[in-house]
Amino acid sequence: LPVPKQQQGLTLKLNGHYRYYGIKGNWRALDRFRYETGRVWFKWLNRRSQRKSLTWDEYNAMLTRYSLPPARLSRPTPSVSKPVSPRNRMR
C-alpha cells in the first residue's frame, strides 16, 4: 500500500488501542506501544525492495508529514466503590 494509506490504517489502529487501554496509569505503556509501532513500520517500509530503501533520517522526515497519533488517555479513572459491609450483603 502507499504510505498515506498505511499511515491512515495505523492511525485507526493506534486510536482504537488508545481508546481501549487508555486508562490512568497506563500512559507510559501507550507511549511505548506507539514507539514500537513506529519502529516496526520503519522495518516494513524497508522490506519493500531488495535493498535498504529508507534511512532513519529519511524516516523521521517522512514522519513530519505522515505522523502517528500521540499516546493519550481516553477513559476516566475507574470509580472505586465502597466495600459492602457483611450485614448489607445478605439483603
Side-chain angles (χ1 to χ4, degrees):
L1 291 174
V3 173
K5 290 283 187 188
Q6 291 180 24
Q7 186 262 346
Q8 185 180 24
L10 284 172
T11 296
L12 289 172
K13 288 174 175 70
L14 281 172
N15 283 332
H17 187 83
Y18 298 157
R19 282 193 298 273
Y20 189 81
Y21 293 104
I23 60 173
K24 184 179 178 183
N26 203 27
W27 188 88
R28 186 179 293 165
L30 293 175
D31 194 46
R32 179 67 184 207
F33 186 79
R34 178 186 182 270
Y35 173 78
E36 292 298 335
T37 300
R39 288 180 55 90
V40 170
W41 192 23
F42 172 78
K43 172 188 170 183
W44 283 100
L45 286 172
N46 273 318
R47 294 179 61 105
R48 297 174 112 189
S49 68
Q50 295 295 328
R51 62 181 181 82
K52 192 169 187 171
S53 58
L54 199 62
T55 65
W56 279 107
D57 291 332
E58 293 168 339
Y59 175 71
N60 288 326
M62 184 199 76
L63 281 180
T64 59
R65 181 170 179 161
Y66 303 109
S67 64
L68 298 175
R72 62 182 168 77
L73 301 179
S74 61
R75 296 188 346 193
T77 305
S79 62
V80 179
S81 61
K82 295 180 183 179
V84 178
S85 70
R87 288 189 325 203
N88 291 338
R89 225 179 254 166
M90 297 298 199
R91 292 182 188 181

